[in-house]
Amino acid sequence: MINEGNPKNMNSTPWLIKAKVTAPKYHVALETRDIAMEKLSAPSQFAVSILEAPGGFGKSTLLALWRTHLSECGYEVAWLTLEEEETASTLSAYLAFAFDTVGVGGDALSTSQLSTPDLDPAHQANILSTQIQASGKKLVLILDDVENLIDEQAQRLLNNFIRHAPENLHIALAYRQNPGLALSKLVLDGMAVMLSVDDLRFSFDEAASFFDGLLSKRETKAMYEKTEGWPVALRLMKNAIGGTGAAIDKLQFFTSEHGLAADYLEDQFYSRLSKSEKTFLLDASVLEWIEPPLLDNLRQKNDAEAVLGGLAHLEGIIVPLDNREKTYRLHGLFRQYLKETLQRENSDRYTLLHQRAANALSERGRLLTALRHASYANDTDLIGHLLEKAGGIRLWLREGMTRVIPANDMLNDEIIEKFPRLGFLRCIVLIKQGHLKGAQDLFNRLAETTEGFQKDRAKGDDRELYKDHIFVRSMLAAYGCVPLSKELISDLLPGDMDTSNEEATTLGHHKTLLCLASHQRAEFANAWRFGKEAAEHFRAAGSRYGELFIDFHFGSIAMVRGEVEDADNYYVQSQKAIRQFFPRDNGLRLINEILTAELDLERNRINRIRSKLSNIIDRLHGSEAWFDIYAAAYSVVTEATLYEESLDNALDFLHAALEHTEEQGLAKLNNYLMALKVMALINAGRHDQARLSYDRSGLPDNVETIFNQQIHTWREMEVFACALINIKTIEEAYEEGKAVADALYRFTTKRNLMRPLIRCLILSALLHERSDDKDKATTSIAEALKYARHTDYIRPFVRRIGDLKGLLKQYQKATVRKADKHQIERLFSFSVEASETNGNVAVFSPREIDILQGLHTGLQDKMIARRLGVTPHAVRYHLKNIYAKTNANNRMQAVNKARTMGFEPRS
């Protein structure tokens, strides 16, 4: 129990201060300190408990809370707060006084004994131990502020008292630093439990509970990040907030140089340091992580490690990092206080130290941290020199966008004007973020300020400036969807490059662009050669980023050639590399998702596409892409939207895409998007609209224009030719259509382009069927089935299955090839119209069947949309069609009528 009465010897020994044997009160909210209390909760398991931490970590408050808990468990708890004036005599007297408060030892130790200087303190302590043992009570002695016990005789007395303490006594000690007590053996022998800074910090949940609803979740997070769970900071912060409202503003004031935190740090820590320790910590405050060699470099001394060792008592304020040898950090509040003090009292040194840190960290390869220090020093010239020294645009080639974007954020117009080569770095960032017009505008300005890329800054490098300009110019062409000119291709391979790692990166980039150009022209032998050479250069330079783009290009080549397994392997390989090396690069992840979705679409894996298409175009408009990526994304989204939602939604999407391409000056994509619009109208059966759109579009309308490889990529040839074949079929201009189909067939077979070849054969089959050339129609469909079987590219059939139904059925009856019969059955399983049930022709699309299943189970539109991965608007669109087909007036009526038409709900 806690004895609140007066000690028996109090009246006869007035020099004894009662406050020293009285525990402090604790805040009621601290009753939630469950984690720390758990380590202290069983005094019977240990002889001694030790709390070691700097000021402000709540040692005294926690022990007071523990005292209350112990009293409720049947313990008698004595308390003694020690002072610097403590001697062996006063210590023995106060020990007796403390135990007297809980009814132990008062009769044996009379007033005269307590006040007699001749009584040996050690003998007095022995008497007290005997009385403690004789009492038979469960006792705990709490000694607070033990760091004040500096008298050696007093230390020896306490050491003996602890060592010979009876079994019914548990002793708890709290101190900032051990004054010299022999406690380590107790810890090693398992007789003592020790709580350090990490045990005494508030957890996030404890801190939130302490504020008891005063802060929002966002404010609580900001508070916890600032205070790092430091108990005194939390308590002062709560006092500073007072009532509710403007908590963030009060937090900022609380941590400012005039706030409560600064006052506390000044009083409890900074003022107690020696002059040399203050200077050391002020210098150290400019570093986020304190590494002794680095700090010695900044201070131009060689004592950092020794000084840090002498500041061990500031544990929790100077924090060693667990996994990094001899690396430390300052508590956030203390570091902020020191930085503000240094900047206020010696701004010149503050600037000098940051400049030294910037140079030292740059030499260590820690560029972003170096740039940040140069920024703190407000030294724009240093930022420019460091970033140019790091390679400028070559930094992107080596390491991708992860480090380039934050580096670019530190550039301003003044730096770019002084260091024009860094303007090229900003161009790269703008290109990669999808801001092509901004990149082109900056490139043009740089041309003016550098005399046509011939003149670098004073003491700059004219040759490097010109090489960088070739680099960025080629990027603008590739990402601006403009074919590389012969002049630019020639410039991409300058003959005076060496094979050093630095040049290897540049060569790798140039060969990558040549690989892309060859791929787009369907010159795959050259594309493979340039790609392999680029990969070798990137490996030599250690650029995993560069190798990723070769995987993208090789995967795209394998896709168009129908080498499905190879394409899939390249995309999976690139996905793993992105996760491992570039997890924060959303642009790379987007490219991988688009290319994978394109491959999935050809194989009719619609369900796999849905997850990849989530906001994909919005993301594309703010990210990097070249023609193939734009084309693949627009094609996949258009067809998926047409299938999942409606023609109107697909047309709305294409309209938005056209607006974006016009805004960015991507003229080459405009015709591609117009051709996609024509194809979407044809696939939806809107033939008149398709003809009108084609006539107004200005699309290529003859074989010579379409198959001009100097102007068009294979993707353009594919979509232009397919659109024109469809239009000629609709117009019954069969001979003209056949001429286009024959040209596309020759082009695709010569270069082994499986995807456009299958599309060509299907359109040829439909064209020949319409012109009554049944034999050629059958030949074309048989050849298309063969290639589809080898590649698994069945989407071209599914896309036109309604038009192909009769031709496929006739061929299925006539052919003796079991593989073809099986393939046709598989195609009919995907049919929009051709599945027959109970003698009734099913008129419901696969998506409408999904909607009907949801209606059957009683789901509302939003739940159906969530299950299918579509929008509620799409569900309502399909529901409207179901009502029209069933002539129903409500949902259940639609389900019942659909069942009479062949719909069978799944169990």
Side-chain angles (χ1 to χ4, degrees):
M1 295 177 58
I2 298 177
N3 190 338
E4 298 295 346
N6 288 324
K8 297 177 181 179
N9 293 315
M10 181 65 188
N11 294 331
S12 57
T13 53
W15 61 272
L16 293 173
I17 303 171
K18 185 179 179 182
K20 291 182 60 173
V21 295
T22 304
K25 291 184 178 180
Y26 57 85
H27 195 286
V28 67
L30 292 177
E31 292 182 2
T32 60
R33 297 295 328 260
D34 296 336
I35 298 174
M37 284 288 291
E38 188 175 346
K39 292 196 74 172
L40 287 171
S41 62
S44 61
Q45 296 179 11
F46 301 95
V48 177
S49 294
I50 303 168
L51 284 71
E52 180 177 20
F57 275 90
K59 300 182 295 297
S60 301
T61 308
L62 180 63
L63 288 173
L65 176 62
W66 189 47
R67 174 175 174 267
T68 301
H69 171 77
L70 290 172
S71 70
E72 294 170 353
C73 297
Y75 286 86
E76 298 284 358
V77 185
W79 184 286
L80 175 58
T81 301
L82 301 181
E83 295 180 333
E84 291 184 358
E85 294 78 14
E86 223 72 75
T87 65
S89 296
T90 61
L91 176 61
S92 64
Y94 271 108
L95 284 172
F97 188 23
F99 279 103
D100 188 27
T101 64
V102 294
V104 175
D107 293 335
L109 296 173
S110 66
T111 302
S112 60
Q113 287 176 311
L114 283 170
S115 57
T116 300
D118 295 333
L119 183 64
D120 178 48
H123 179 62
Q124 183 178 329
N126 289 338
I127 294 174
L128 180 59
S129 291
T130 301
Q131 292 302 314
I132 291 170
Q133 186 172 14
S135 73
K137 295 181 177 182
K138 295 192 297 182
L139 293 166
V140 174
L141 170 64
I142 295 176
L143 298 173
D144 197 16
D145 291 346
V146 177
E147 70 273 7
N148 290 329
L149 195 65
I150 58 178
D151 182 82
E152 292 184 2
Q153 290 186 352
Q155 291 176 9
R156 282 196 296 271
L157 184 145
L158 184 55
N159 275 328
N160 287 327
F161 187 76
I162 293 171
R163 188 163 58 248
H164 300 297
E167 290 186 0
N168 63 322
L169 174 63
H170 180 92
I171 300 174
L173 304 97
Y175 50 75
R176 297 186 178 194
Q177 62 183 115
N178 190 338
L181 300 177
L183 301 175
S184 58
K185 190 174 187 304
L186 293 173
V187 176
L188 292 174
D189 289 344
M191 297 177 64
V193 61
M194 189 163 190
L195 277 70
S196 62
V197 167
D198 289 337
D199 300 304
L200 298 173
R201 293 185 199 279
F202 274 58
S203 68
F204 180 83
D205 290 339
E206 286 177 330
S209 176
F210 177 66
F211 279 85
D212 193 25
L214 285 176
L215 303 179
S216 67
K217 188 174 181 179
R218 181 177 69 89
E219 291 168 339
T220 302
K221 182 179 179 182
M223 169 275 302
Y224 193 75
E225 289 176 350
K226 202 76 174 177
T227 62
E228 301 181 22
W230 192 14
V232 70
L234 294 172
R235 189 167 68 250
L236 292 172
M237 175 65 190
K238 187 172 183 179
N239 293 339
I241 291 175
T244 58
I248 291 295
D249 292 338
K250 291 179 179 180
L251 172 62
Q252 291 172 346
F253 173 75
F254 166 74
T255 57
S256 70
E257 61 180 295
H258 301 296
L260 290 173
D263 292 342
Y264 183 85
L265 291 165
E266 166 71 28
D267 179 62
Q268 293 294 315
F269 296 100
Y270 190 69
S271 64
R272 302 184 182 197
L273 298 171
S274 67
K275 183 177 180 180
S276 62
E277 288 174 333
K278 289 179 181 178
T279 301
F280 176 85
L281 289 175
L282 288 171
D283 289 349
S285 69
V286 302
L287 295 175
E288 186 173 0
W289 309 110
I290 302 174
E291 302 166 52
L294 178 61
L295 185 53
D296 283 338
N297 186 307
L298 268 61
R299 304 179 70 237
Q300 297 186 349
K301 293 188 177 183
N302 192 30
D303 62 354
E305 194 168 335
V307 176
L308 285 167
L311 294 171
H313 60 283
L314 292 181
E315 182 191 359
I317 301 302
I318 301 176
V319 184
L321 302 190
D322 290 340
N323 299 320
R324 294 176 62 182
E325 186 178 359
K326 296 181 180 179
T327 302
Y328 308 82
R329 70 173 181 84
L330 295 170
H331 186 284
L333 290 177
F334 192 45
R335 180 175 178 235
Q336 180 177 334
Y337 165 79
L338 291 170
K339 283 177 65 178
E340 291 172 352
T341 301
L342 177 62
Q343 195 169 17
R344 182 178 65 253
E345 295 181 355
N346 195 344
S347 60
D348 288 343
R349 184 160 182 81
Y350 177 86
T351 299
L352 176 64
L353 289 170
H354 276 300
Q355 289 170 331
R356 289 176 178 173
N359 284 303
L361 289 164
S362 175
E363 291 296 328
R364 288 165 168 78
R366 290 149 66 177
L367 177 64
L368 291 182
T369 310
L371 293 174
R372 196 158 52 244
H373 281 285
S375 177
Y376 293 149
N378 199 28
D379 193 335
T380 55
D381 283 352
L382 183 55
I383 293 174
H385 281 294
L386 293 176
L387 197 45
E388 196 172 78
K389 183 180 177 182
I393 56 176
R394 289 167 181 77
L395 179 67
W396 162 67
L397 282 175
R398 289 196 305 269
E399 304 182 32
M401 299 302 293
T402 303
R403 289 217 298 170
V404 168
I405 290 176
N408 173 70
D409 290 342
M410 297 186 197
L411 295 177
N412 56 34
D413 292 341
E414 177 188 351
I415 296 174
I416 290 174
E417 186 175 350
K418 290 181 180 179
F419 299 85
R421 288 178 58 203
L422 298 183
F424 294 134
L425 183 66
R426 173 155 290 179
C427 283
I428 294 295
V429 173
L430 290 169
I431 291 170
K432 291 287 184 174
Q433 292 179 336
H435 305 304
L436 293 168
K437 190 174 184 302
Q440 186 66 62
D441 290 345
L442 177 56
F443 186 79
N444 294 338
R445 290 200 304 273
L446 291 171
E448 295 176 4
T449 59
T450 60
E451 300 178 16
F453 308 111
Q454 301 295 321
K455 190 68 175 176
D456 195 11
R457 63 178 176 84
K459 297 183 180 179
D461 191 323
D462 296 343
R463 178 174 176 272
E464 290 299 315
L465 175 76
Y466 187 82
K467 285 165 59 178
D468 287 356
H469 125 267
I470 293 295
F471 186 107
V472 176
R473 185 179 160 201
S474 64
M475 290 287 292
L476 285 168
Y479 282 75
C481 304
V482 177
L484 299 183
S485 65
K486 291 183 178 179
E487 173 202 357
L488 188 52
I489 290 174
S490 175
D491 283 340
L492 285 173
L493 293 172
D496 58 347
M497 279 192 176
D498 60 40
T499 57
S500 68
N501 283 357
E502 192 67 25
E503 295 289 10
T505 305
T506 305
L507 278 171
H509 166 76
H510 291 170
K511 294 292 181 70
T512 300
L513 288 174
L514 292 170
C515 169
L516 173 61
S518 300
H519 162 216
Q520 292 175 337
R521 291 191 172 94
E523 297 170 355
F524 297 132
N526 287 336
W528 280 105
R529 176 169 61 86
F530 287 128
K532 289 178 179 178
E533 290 174 358
E536 290 175 3
H537 289 308
F538 287 134
R539 279 192 288 272
S543 174
R544 191 64 190 86
Y545 185 80
E547 288 185 76
L548 262 177
F549 285 85
I550 303 304
D551 288 340
F552 291 148
H553 296 322
F554 281 179
S556 185
I557 292 171
M559 182 280 300
V560 70
R561 291 164 65 92
E563 297 160 353
V564 176
E565 187 175 347
D566 288 344
D568 194 51
N569 287 340
Y570 280 117
Y571 296 154
V572 169
Q573 180 175 301
S574 61
Q575 183 184 54
K576 289 179 179 177
I578 292 167
R579 288 175 178 172
Q580 181 177 357
F581 300 108
F582 310 100
R584 297 182 181 179
D585 196 321
N586 294 328
L588 292 176
R589 187 163 58 250
L590 176 62
I591 293 169
N592 182 268
E593 289 174 355
I594 290 172
L595 293 175
T596 305
E598 180 182 42
L599 181 63
D600 285 337
L601 179 64
E602 292 308 313
R603 304 171 76 183
N604 205 49
R605 298 185 174 185
I606 299 295
N607 289 334
R608 292 185 60 174
I609 292 174
R610 290 174 191 152
S611 61
K612 295 183 177 70
L613 288 178
S614 177
N615 299 320
I616 201 168
I617 293 303
D618 290 338
R619 292 157 58 201
L620 181 67
H621 290 178
S623 186
E624 65 174 304
W626 54 95
F627 179 82
D628 299 85
I629 302 304
Y630 280 118
Y634 291 149
S635 299
V636 172
V637 175
T638 299
E639 183 151 355
T641 305
L642 184 63
Y643 174 79
E644 297 281 352
E645 301 180 26
S646 67
L647 173 64
D648 289 341
N649 286 359
L651 295 178
D652 287 345
F653 162 75
L654 287 171
H655 178 72
L658 276 166
E659 286 184 345
H660 172 72
T661 58
E662 290 172 0
E663 178 186 324
Q664 290 296 321
L666 303 174
K668 191 174 180 63
L669 277 170
N670 290 349
N671 280 347
Y672 189 86
L673 289 167
M674 288 304 302
L676 289 180
K677 179 180 178 180
V678 171
M679 295 293 290
L681 289 166
I682 291 170
N683 292 336
R686 305 278 186 87
H687 292 172
D688 290 341
Q689 281 183 258
R691 290 176 62 188
L692 184 62
S693 292
Y694 188 87
D695 291 341
R696 292 176 175 177
S697 67
L699 291 172
D701 58 0
N702 60 72
V703 170
E704 290 73 21
T705 307
I706 290 174
F707 294 98
N708 184 340
Q709 288 181 259
Q710 299 304 312
I711 299 175
H712 297 140
T713 68
W714 67 261
R715 290 179 184 273
E716 291 171 290
M717 297 179 206
E718 174 189 57
V719 73
F720 294 159
C722 289
L724 187 54
I725 293 169
N726 275 298
I727 292 297
K728 295 303 179 183
T729 302
I730 293 168
E731 294 175 345
E732 299 183 358
Y734 300 126
E735 294 305 316
E736 294 178 35
K738 290 175 184 178
V740 179
D742 289 345
L744 180 58
Y745 182 83
R746 289 192 300 272
F747 176 75
T748 55
T749 53
K750 182 179 179 180
R751 290 165 177 78
N752 194 30
L753 304 178
M754 280 294 117
R755 189 183 85 169
L757 175 57
I758 295 172
R759 296 182 181 190
C760 170
L761 288 167
I762 289 173
L763 295 180
S764 295
L766 292 171
L767 186 151
H768 288 303
E769 183 188 35
R770 289 284 297 272
S771 65
D772 285 331
D773 193 340
K774 304 298 184 184
D775 290 341
K776 287 189 176 180
T778 300
T779 301
S780 295
I781 206 70
E783 192 174 358
L785 284 167
K786 179 183 71 172
Y787 292 131
R789 191 165 60 250
H790 292 319
T791 61
D792 197 32
Y793 288 176
I794 61 173
R795 186 65 193 176
F797 286 94
V798 176
R799 187 180 294 125
R800 301 296 295 270
I801 195 70
D803 298 324
L804 290 168
K805 179 178 61 176
L807 188 58
L808 286 169
K809 284 197 169 187
Q810 291 174 16
Y811 180 70
Q812 187 181 31
K813 291 178 180 178
T815 186
V816 296
R817 297 190 182 115
K818 291 183 179 180
D820 284 352
K821 288 178 180 289
H822 175 73
Q823 181 80 339
I824 292 171
E825 286 296 331
R826 184 186 176 209
L827 292 173
F828 281 158
S829 71
F830 296 108
S831 173
V832 173
E833 301 175 9
S835 178
E836 293 188 4
T837 307
N838 297 329
N840 294 304
V841 176
V843 293
F844 303 112
S845 73
R847 177 55 70 228
E848 289 167 352
I849 291 173
D850 290 340
I851 303 295
L852 282 166
Q853 181 64 33
L855 297 180
H856 173 69
T857 55
L859 297 179
Q860 296 301 310
D861 293 351
K862 288 185 178 180
M863 285 301 298
I864 295 173
R866 189 177 302 171
R867 286 193 175 187
L868 299 180
V870 299
T871 64
H873 176 76
V875 172
R876 289 189 287 274
Y877 169 80
H878 290 297
L879 189 56
K880 180 181 176 182
N881 289 340
I882 291 170
Y883 282 172
K885 290 178 180 181
T886 59
N887 195 28
N889 296 318
N890 58 56
R891 299 160 80 91
M892 287 313 300
Q893 191 179 70
V895 172
N896 292 333
K897 288 193 173 186
R899 295 184 75 162
T900 68
M901 299 168 66
F903 166 63
E904 293 184 357
R906 296 186 294 272
S907 57

